[in-house]
């Protein structure tokens, strides 16, 4: 008779012990670097920034004309729906093209580590902290090449602390500027833009424009936007260059640049006047959360300039601008509610407009 296997009893199969972990158990330590990814809370816009006139003055005294709607405006604010009059401008490569080229380089068997350091530094100059950290983990060569930019991120954070008096330090613009300039010297376009802002506010516009130009040429949308606005405000204005840089920043998704480009198209500054295309860029910027663009979109729908008249859309965008602190939108939305008999709601918006400095709303709140 054959010997029974160990662990086997008469008429019974051997018992097997299986140790398993719950499926929900994960090694969170692999992802601990996401713990501090939350951004700081957004501060409400200051009321005095909303007082300036946003709707461009008409070149003639004629009434607004009803124009046909711009096609494909409801396609999630896609720039492809906006007619392009800037075909002669140099277009920066899109992210899709860059990703496809990276894929092809992998297929061709090329070594990422062989990318020249100066080329890599130009590519990553406008990277923010998450993308910079991810690029540094690609290989040892990239980690060494991007070391100056990682140092620039530290200097950038200290510069913002000194500028705003945060993180346990007192506000000190000299120290803030010094930190930004050290970050800019290490190749960060973000530091270049912040240093340029301090120079601009101090009245040294030449140094500000020089930093904006360097950041813009490296592909930073904020630098391109600020450079375009600087050219608009120059004496004499450099309108065509301003429109070109604003267009590049707009393609990069910078909402303030999209709004400024729309104003140029609306007023015919540096480009032929085109209210339909201006309205499309207003809508693009409004969809990105730019409050002044929301107000102008509401006016486009209410007057029929750039869009076909649409009271419902006009009221929707006017309310959005009013809810985000635009004083003129609060006044006009409050008056609209007042005319419709919504007295309690109207008083709220009119009171907000009064406190923001709109004197015309005061007599309705008495």
């Amino acid at each position: 008779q054959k010997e029974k296997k160990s662990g086997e009893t008469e008429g019974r199969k051997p018992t097997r012990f299986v140790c398993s972990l719950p499926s929900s158990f994960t090694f969170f330590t692999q992802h601990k670097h996401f713990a501090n990814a939350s951004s700081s809370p957004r501060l409400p816009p200051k009321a005095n920034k909303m007082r300036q006139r946003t709707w461009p003055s008409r070149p003639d005294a004629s009434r607004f004309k009803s124009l046909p709607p711009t096609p494909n405006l409801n396609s999630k604010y896609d720039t492809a729906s906006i007619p392009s009059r800037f075909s002669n401008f140099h277009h920066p490569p899109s992210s899709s093209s860059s990703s496809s080229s990276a894929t092809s380089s992998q297929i061709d068997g090329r070594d990422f580590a062989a990318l020249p350091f100066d080329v890599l530094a130009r590519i990553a100059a406008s990277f923010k902290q998450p993308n910079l950290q991810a690029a540094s983990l690609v290989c040892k060569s990239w980690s060494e090449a991007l070391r100056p930019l990682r140092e620039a991120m530290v200097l950038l954070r200290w510069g913002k602390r000194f500028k705003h008096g945060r993180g346990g330090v007192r506000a000190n613009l000299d120290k803030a500027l010094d930190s930004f300039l050290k970050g800019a010297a290490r190749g960060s376009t973000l530091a270049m833009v912040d240093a340029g802002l301090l120079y601009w506010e101090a009245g040294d516009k030449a140094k500000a424009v020089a930093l904006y130009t360097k950041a813009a040429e490296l592909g930073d949308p904020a630098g391109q936007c600020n450079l375009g606005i600087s050219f608009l405000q120059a004496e004499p204005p450099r309108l065509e260059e301003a429109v070109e840089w604003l267009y590049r920043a707009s393609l990069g998704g910078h909402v303030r640049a999209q709004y400024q480009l729309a104003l140029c198209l609306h007023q015919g500054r540096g480009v032929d006047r085109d209210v339909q295309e201006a309205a499309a860029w207003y809508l693009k910027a409004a969809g990105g959360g730019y409050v002044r663009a929301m107000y102008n979109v509401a006016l486009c729908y209410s007057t029929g300039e750039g869009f076909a008249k649409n009271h419902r859309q006009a009221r929707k965008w006017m309310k959005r601008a009013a809810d985000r602190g635009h004083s003129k939108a609060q006044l006009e939305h409050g008056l609209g509610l007042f005319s419709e008999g919504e007295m309690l709601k109207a008083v709220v918006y009119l009171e907000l407009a009064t406190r923001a400095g709109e004197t015309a709303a005061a007599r309705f709140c008495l």
Side-chain angles (χ1 to χ4, degrees), residues 18-325:
V18 180
C19 180
S20 61
L21 295 174
S23 59
S24 61
F25 184 82
T26 57
F27 294 95
F28 66 92
T29 55
Q30 297 178 2
H31 307 283
K32 64 180 180 180
H33 61 280
F34 290 108
N36 296 324
S38 60
S39 58
S40 57
R42 298 176 61 185
L43 298 176
K46 295 182 180 179
N48 58 358
K49 291 185 179 179
M50 294 300 177
R51 294 179 185 174
Q52 67 180 16
R53 183 181 181 89
T54 58
W55 187 255
S57 56
R58 298 194 297 272
D60 54 10
S62 62
R63 300 288 295 174
F64 290 119
K65 298 179 181 179
S66 178
L67 298 172
T70 306
N72 299 329
L73 285 175
N74 295 323
S75 58
K76 297 297 182 181
Y77 318 109
D78 185 9
T79 48
S81 66
I82 302 174
S84 177
R85 58 176 63 245
F86 308 101
S87 57
N88 58 328
F89 290 171
H90 170 70
H91 292 189
S94 63
S95 58
S96 59
S97 61
S98 61
S99 62
S100 62
S101 62
T103 305
S104 62
S105 65
Q106 291 176 345
I107 294 174
D108 295 340
R110 298 173 186 172
D111 185 8
F112 282 116
L115 189 67
F117 280 13
D118 59 333
V119 175
L120 178 60
R122 287 180 62 88
I123 293 173
S126 60
F127 281 7
K128 295 184 180 179
Q129 184 69 26
N131 291 337
L132 186 61
Q133 288 295 114
S136 299
L137 297 174
V138 171
C139 62
K140 184 177 180 180
S141 178
W142 280 31
S143 179
E144 290 298 322
L146 297 176
R147 184 190 300 274
L149 287 175
R150 293 198 301 274
E151 295 173 355
M153 290 295 103
V154 177
L155 291 165
L156 182 66
R157 287 196 296 271
W158 274 104
K160 290 183 179 296
R161 288 179 182 179
F162 284 122
K163 181 179 180 180
H164 302 290
R166 298 172 183 168
V169 299
R170 293 183 180 180
N172 189 320
L173 294 183
D174 291 333
K175 290 184 178 181
L177 179 59
D178 182 64
S179 294
F180 290 146
L181 289 176
K182 288 179 179 178
R186 286 164 172 78
S188 172
T189 61
L190 307 179
M192 294 174 196
V193 172
D194 279 331
L197 284 172
L198 288 182
Y199 275 129
W200 187 272
E201 293 170 356
D204 197 341
K205 297 185 177 180
K207 290 183 178 179
V209 170
L211 286 165
Y212 292 156
T213 301
K214 189 173 181 180
E217 290 174 348
L218 288 170
D220 186 88
Q224 293 169 345
C225 176
N226 288 7
L227 182 60
I229 294 174
S230 301
F231 287 158
L232 288 176
Q233 299 178 5
E235 293 294 340
R238 299 161 62 177
L239 298 179
E240 292 185 0
E241 293 176 82
V243 171
E244 178 175 354
W245 285 112
L246 290 173
Y247 177 66
R248 294 190 189 185
S250 298
L251 290 181
H254 198 282
V255 291
R256 187 184 181 193
Q258 292 166 353
Y259 169 75
Q260 291 291 336
L261 179 62
L263 286 178
C264 289
L265 287 162
H266 203 159
Q267 298 168 335
R269 299 188 68 197
V271 67
D272 293 337
R273 187 169 185 265
D274 189 330
V275 292
Q276 285 183 288
E277 192 168 356
W281 281 112
Y282 283 142
L283 186 60
K284 176 73 175 176
Y290 201 73
V291 179
R292 294 174 188 169
M294 295 178 187
Y295 176 69
N296 283 15
V297 167
L299 293 181
C300 285
Y301 276 120
S302 64
T303 61
E305 183 165 358
F307 300 142
K309 285 188 178 182
N310 189 320
H311 174 72
R312 183 177 179 180
Q313 289 292 325
R315 179 171 178 175
K316 180 186 77 172
W317 285 107
M318 192 68 73
K319 185 179 185 301
R320 288 187 181 182
D323 290 342
R324 286 160 179 80

